[in-house]
Amino acid sequence: MKKVMLGNEAIARGAWEAGVVFASAYPGTPSSEILESLTQYAEVQAEWATNEKDALLAAAGASLAGARAMASMKHVGVNVAADALMTLSYTGIEGGLVLVTADDPALHSSQNEQDNRHYARFAKVPMLEPSDAHEAKEFAKLAFEISERFDTPVMLRSVTRLSHSRGIVELKPRQEPSRSFELKPNEKKYTMIPAYAGPRHVFVEERLKRLKEFAEEFEHNRVEWGNTDVGIITSGISYQYAKEVFPDHSFLKLGMVWPLPERKIREFASKVKELWVIEELDPFLEENIKAMGITVHVGKDRIPIYGELSPTRLREAIQGKPYTAPIKYPSPIPGRPPNLCAGCPHRGIIYVLKKLKLFVFGDIGCYTLGTLPPLRSIHTCVCMGSSVGMLEGAAQVLKEKALGKVVCVLGESTFLHAGVTPLLNMTYNRANGTVIVLNNWTTAMTGSQEHPGSGYTAKGERTFAVNYVELAKALGVKEENVREVNPYKLDEIERVVKEEIEKDEPSFIVTKDGPCALLRRAIESYNPPLFVDEEICTGCRQCLELGCPALSWDSSKAGEYRTKDGKTKKRKGVAVINEFLCNGCGLCYQVCKFGAIKGQKEEVPIGFKVRYPG
């Protein structure tokens, strides 16, 4: 049977066919669909982890018990998991252990473009890199076989273009686990004190030698002979681009990108007149091939080191032409920059922080969009949990100068991922500073995945939900400094924020009754759309400062309007509310000082009726 599958779905299918019993992940584009797909298989215990290190360690524990296990994450997630990965390379495995890294060339939804092939070399573990959906499934299965054969974690690398494109995948039955699940003490293998870790390092180096020999015979490191004037060494999605542009050239397609098959590379290079290395991002293959003493005629001297490749970009790079973007044909549809959704519970907080002219340390999540006009209120974004950590450092330097001027914001999923410990650091070291947690009941930016505060597991089973107020108090924030606010009530937000930012000690604000506007299970009912009374609108544009996609400007209504006291004044246009986008959250109603924004009924509701988990 064959099926068209997303690359991420194919990876999940391969893991299932390989007999995976346990899988853990933290959601992040472009990796999220892997774990989501695995939740559909009854044989797999699929879980969302609090962060990527926890995901890898949980998978490692399952492996130690004898099960095949997988952890998946986006490329920057491996930075979080690296602490565990480096030593798991030493300990090895029992059941097969695979770490999937989904890299993001061109930063479609990421804060950097790092190339995680370096991690395989750094950790001295093998890495496979598929080039299409079918290979993604097959390589996932092979990864578990290699893991168990060589007693090693194995990395599987995807990129956005593979993870989020579809291809034909041949489906096969599941290979049920052949071993029993049990824990067998083996301190010398799994307890990495110096006395035991030293011999395991020797094992790692010997294993790498055996893996190099394996790479020479690995069937997916294959040569495709064509015109020998040019030979191209490539891998992954870059193979697809290169094959499309240069179908008549000879190819060495590497399915295993670490360790490299040196003899095969030398033999291939010796039979072509010119050797090209085509790869996205860093010159990983190129530098390692050059280190073998092999001349590379075309590599990163022509091919861009940043962004995604494409057939067009690759062709122009090889020809030495500057890259030209694809032609954009005229469209009646206006451009739409990234924006918080209509009714987003983050908008009110960000609007107030801008109004108060505060310096805002930001974090990873939807609210990062608050850095764009017109909100323009998020001033930093580095990594998960960075907002709290950076706030603490800045406050310790500025001391009383920070009072009334600085806050940080992060979502509750990010807070649980990497914000808990820096908040503890703040309280422990007696730093002043206000931490604002935007609780929208889900991991919204990556597709509304569950987390320990949502009340549901990855498979939709009910579980407890974190109480952020009690957690903050347990972390050392004084009870009187822990506050809850309704994210749709602007006056309440402003009052509470003003009070907390003047305190010379840690404070904590968390939003309540503000689930993600797209989280249907959490919102009992939306409100009727609001509208602008054009007879009253002064054209002040204050409501447009909210940046709501339901609000727009109509300059065709420029002219005169009449004030409440009967005077005539001029205006440049009026605000307009799109009734198909507005869900009646009530923020613009509160912002309008002239009563021009109205509801279908006399009373305008603020926020939505929500349905709590459980």
Side-chain angles (χ1 to χ4, degrees), residues 42-93:
E43 300 90 343
V44 182
Q45 175 64 31
E47 301 178 353
W48 289 123
T50 309
N51 60 43
E52 293 86 358
K53 180 179 179 182
D54 291 341
L56 180 56
L57 287 171
S63 165
L64 185 58
R68 285 186 167 181
M70 184 169 77
S72 55
M73 56 201 67
K74 69 181 295 172
H75 61 304
V76 288
V78 180
N79 301 333
V80 180
D83 187 23
L85 174 63
M86 295 302 155
T87 303
L88 287 171
S89 173
Y90 276 39
T91 67
I93 54 92

Side-chain angles (χ1 to χ4, degrees), residues 267-451:
E267 181 182 3
F268 179 76
S270 71
K271 294 181 179 180
V272 297
K273 292 181 181 179
E274 279 195 10
L275 184 67
W276 298 0
V277 178
I278 296 177
E279 55 190 326
E280 278 186 331
L281 299 182
D282 292 349
F284 180 81
L285 299 177
E286 180 181 345
E287 288 181 350
N288 281 286
I289 291 168
K290 286 180 175 178
M292 299 173 189
I294 298 171
T295 299
V296 174
H297 297 86
V298 173
K300 290 300 174 183
D301 57 331
R302 295 194 197 175
I303 300 169
I305 200 170
Y306 55 85
E308 280 187 305
L309 292 181
S310 69
T312 301
R313 196 176 192 203
L314 178 58
R315 184 184 294 108
E316 292 183 349
I318 294 296
Q319 293 172 348
K321 297 180 180 178
Y323 174 64
T324 55
I327 298 173
K328 292 185 178 180
Y329 294 97
S331 171
I333 302 174
R336 183 182 179 186
N339 196 0
L340 298 172
C341 302
C344 175
H346 301 334
R347 179 172 279 107
I349 295 275
I350 297 171
Y351 174 81
V352 168
L353 298 181
K354 178 185 179 181
K355 180 181 177 182
L356 297 177
K357 299 181 180 180
L358 301 178
F359 187 97
V360 182
F361 287 100
D363 227 294
I364 307 297
C366 298
Y367 41 87
T368 311
L369 296 171
T371 196
L372 299 174
L375 290 170
R376 222 179 266 243
S377 183
I378 304 297
H379 301 110
T380 71
C381 175
V382 176
C383 64
M384 300 287 280
S386 61
S387 61
V388 189
M390 294 174 75
L391 170 64
E392 196 268 337
Q396 293 289 41
V397 170
L398 296 171
K399 298 191 183 302
E400 68 277 357
K401 291 181 181 179
L403 297 179
K405 297 177 180 178
V406 183
V407 297
C408 78
V409 296
L410 70 168
E412 85 286 7
S413 183
T414 304
F415 175 65
L416 296 174
H417 176 289
V420 172
T421 49
L423 177 57
L424 181 60
N425 200 41
M426 282 185 66
T427 57
Y428 169 65
N429 289 298
R430 301 184 299 174
N432 68 55
T434 300
V435 175
I436 304 175
V437 172
L438 307 176
N439 178 19
N440 64 3
W441 306 13
T442 187
T443 312
M445 189 171 230
T446 55
S448 298
Q449 292 85 9
E450 310 296 350
H451 59 65

